[in-house]
Structures are given as C-alpha cells and as structure tokens.
Amino acid sequence: MDKLESMRAFTQVVEAGGFAAAARQMDLSRSQVNKLVLNLEEHLQTQLLQRTTRKVSPTDAGRAYYDRCLAILADLEEAELALTRLHQEPRGSLRINAPMTFGTLHLAPLVVEFMAQYPDLYVELVLNDRRIDPIEEGFDITIRIAAQPPGPGLIAHTLAPCPLVVCAAPGYLQQRGTPTHPDDLKQHDCLHYGHRAQDNSWTLIGDEPHTVTINGPLCCNNGEVLRAAALAGLGIVMLPDFIVEKDLAEGQLRPILTAYPPETINIYALYPVNRHLSAKVTRLVEFLAEKI
C-alpha cells in the first residue's frame, strides 16, 4: 500500500465531500480513490469515512486523522519545495476566481501587474457572481467578499475591509422621502443582492443591531446591475463602497441612514489547505494584501 497516496486520497475525499469529486481532483478513477481509502482504513483497522448514498463525511476518528494527514502532507510538500527551490520563483498554472465587479474594477489590473513580475506564470482568471466551491472546481485562489470566512478545508486570508453603503438616487428620495430609521425601509423599495430564495433582510448597526425585512422590484447577484437600478431611481441599495464611491462623490447617489451603518464585511483570499505552501499562491496573497 502506498500510504502517502492513500492519505492524499483520503484528504481529498474529505475536502471534496465525495469520491467522484476527489477522483477528478487527483485525475484518477472513482474506484481507484475508493480503493486507496479502503486500504487505508484496513491498514488502520478504523473506519475513517461515513458513507451514505447522498454524502460522504469523516467519522470522529476520521476527522482527527484528517488533521494529522494535513500536517504530514504539508511537511512533505514543504520539504519538496525546499529541495526544488520552487518556493523562490512562482511558475506554472494559477487558477483564480473572483466576483465579477470586484474582478473587473480592482483585481484584473493587479493580476496583470503580478504576472509582469513572474513571466513563467500562466493565469486563468474566472470572474462570476456564482457561489462556487473552490475545492470542487479546482481553484488555487478564490476572492470572496463576505461577513465571515467559509468553513473547513479552506484557509481564509483577510485582504482588506469592505464597507457597505446604503444609498439611493436623489430623484427617488425626493419622490418617496428619506428614511431616518432602519424600520422606515419597510415602506420603501429596496434592491436586494442575492436570490429571492435567500434571506431578504438587511442588518444596520446603531445603538443596537436593527434587522429589517426588505422588499423591492429587483434582486440580483451582481452589484453593477443593482447600482444601475439605483441610479435609475428604482429603489434603495446596499452595496460595497468600491462599487458606488464615484456615484456618491458626484451626487448621483446619496448615502442614507448614516447613523445606522451596515456591518463591515471583508475581502478574503481563500485557498485549499494543501495550497498554503505553494509559491504562486503565497506570493499572490502577499501581493494582494499589500495592494488592495
């Protein structure tokens, strides 16, 4: 039994949540990955995974063993990188995922600048506003703007805070009035980021948190679309300041409820645990943390 290969297969199954996804990541067949994990369980005489028809998850023993495997595989990767000196010069392919608006406005120029420093690097930059699974879809780095970093299997590096602004077009406020308290939003058209099936509420912070259920004519998972709707006077919007800062400066949008600011969210760089020693990943994260 190749113990290291079996450990790699086991960690991939845990991170991907299934054998098929792990097999794709390892470029092996599902049966090969399953056999590697079964051999490992037989060797350890311990069940590491709880298998059902819908989900694969680690047992308590499997979770503890997973943590140890990560440390062992990370130490091995560090030794290999030191031997080959790849840690000094990023090269090879680097897959990056980011939200559309942030990607076009801010990330793309920085990626171009980073590539100019490392000509042996090939970058695939994928911009979309779909909530992707970085491990399942094979991204080295994912940029995510959120209140909290995601769960297990990913390392989250905070790049910068991302303040949110509640604002509306002057014409809308003249016609409908200007809210002075979060509860006033119940009487207004609010343009919601996300999907109708998701939570359609905003939380604003004043003397205490105020969570308000909002309604309006539009919801969308793209900030530029919501910005355009707000500029057209369709309603009130809550967006990151990097999307609306120019409109606010020019008076095309006006900030409201400034005494009740939204909770600040963060810009995160996410990467799988097994990428944390990769030169191309660590250098890019350091570069973005300095530039953003």
Side-chain angles (χ1 to χ4, degrees):
M1 181 187 74
D2 187 333
K3 188 178 294 186
L4 286 175
E5 188 69 5
S6 296
M7 291 168 65
R8 288 192 181 96
F10 167 66
T11 58
Q12 284 284 0
V13 171
V14 173
E15 292 169 5
F19 287 93
R24 288 192 295 270
Q25 293 293 322
M26 298 182 70
D27 196 23
L28 296 173
S29 69
R30 189 185 187 282
S31 61
Q32 287 175 306
V33 174
N34 187 50
K35 184 176 180 180
L36 286 168
V37 176
L38 287 174
N39 287 342
L40 187 61
E41 289 180 319
E42 183 178 350
H43 172 74
L44 297 171
Q45 296 186 342
T46 302
Q47 182 179 354
L48 300 174
L49 297 174
Q50 186 70 43
R51 302 161 176 85
T52 68
T53 56
R54 303 180 65 182
K55 186 179 180 182
V56 176
S57 59
T59 62
D60 290 342
R63 173 58 63 182
Y65 189 67
Y66 169 78
D67 293 336
R68 295 298 301 156
C69 284
L70 288 183
I72 292 169
L73 294 173
D75 287 344
L76 177 62
E77 184 177 357
E78 185 176 25
E80 291 173 346
L81 288 176
L83 182 64
T84 60
R85 302 180 65 83
L86 285 177
H87 64 300
Q88 294 184 357
E89 193 68 20
R91 55 170 59 89
S93 63
L94 180 63
R95 299 191 73 226
I96 307 169
N97 173 260
M100 182 68 71
T101 302
F102 180 79
T104 54
L105 292 179
H106 294 285
L107 182 64
L110 295 179
V111 169
V112 171
E113 183 181 347
F114 183 75
M115 292 177 66
Q117 297 181 20
Y118 302 105
D120 293 330
L121 201 59
Y122 171 80
V123 172
E124 180 184 355
L125 177 59
V126 178
L127 302 179
N128 57 45
D129 293 312
R130 178 173 58 87
R131 190 81 164 183
I132 64 107
D133 184 327
I135 296 174
E136 171 74 19
E137 301 192 32
F139 285 102
D140 296 296
I141 295 181
T142 298
I143 304 300
R144 188 165 293 171
I145 302 174
Q148 298 291 335
L154 293 168
I155 294 176
H157 187 102
T158 304
L159 298 177
C162 181
L164 294 169
V165 180
V166 180
C167 55
Y172 174 88
L173 297 175
Q174 184 177 3
Q175 181 182 12
R176 299 288 299 273
T178 301
T180 59
H181 188 275
D183 287 340
D184 296 340
L185 293 173
K186 299 175 183 177
Q187 311 305 318
H188 283 265
D189 292 331
C190 296
L191 311 174
H192 182 50
Y193 183 91
H195 305 277
R196 289 199 183 278
Q198 294 177 341
D199 177 36
N200 59 336
S201 64
W202 292 352
T203 298
L204 306 180
I205 311 298
D207 50 349
E208 61 180 340
H210 299 269
T211 299
V212 181
T213 299
I214 53 101
N215 290 286
L218 175 68
C219 68
C220 183
N221 68 335
N222 180 269
E224 282 291 340
V225 173
L226 296 174
R227 168 183 171 267
L231 288 170
L234 293 185
I236 298 170
V237 73
M238 181 168 69
L239 287 173
D241 63 351
F242 70 81
I243 295 179
V244 295
E245 57 186 351
K246 182 179 178 182
D247 303 313
L248 294 170
E250 295 175 351
Q252 297 186 68
L253 292 175
R254 290 181 184 171
I256 61 173
L257 296 171
T258 54
Y260 303 90
E263 184 178 4
T264 297
I265 58 179
N266 293 307
I267 303 171
Y268 295 100
L270 312 177
Y271 45 97
V273 173
N274 60 2
R275 305 283 206 284
H276 80 288
L277 291 171
S278 169
K280 57 192 177 184
V281 170
T282 55
R283 292 288 179 85
L284 180 57
V285 170
E286 292 169 0
F287 177 82
L288 294 177
E290 179 183 347
K291 295 288 185 174
I292 293 177

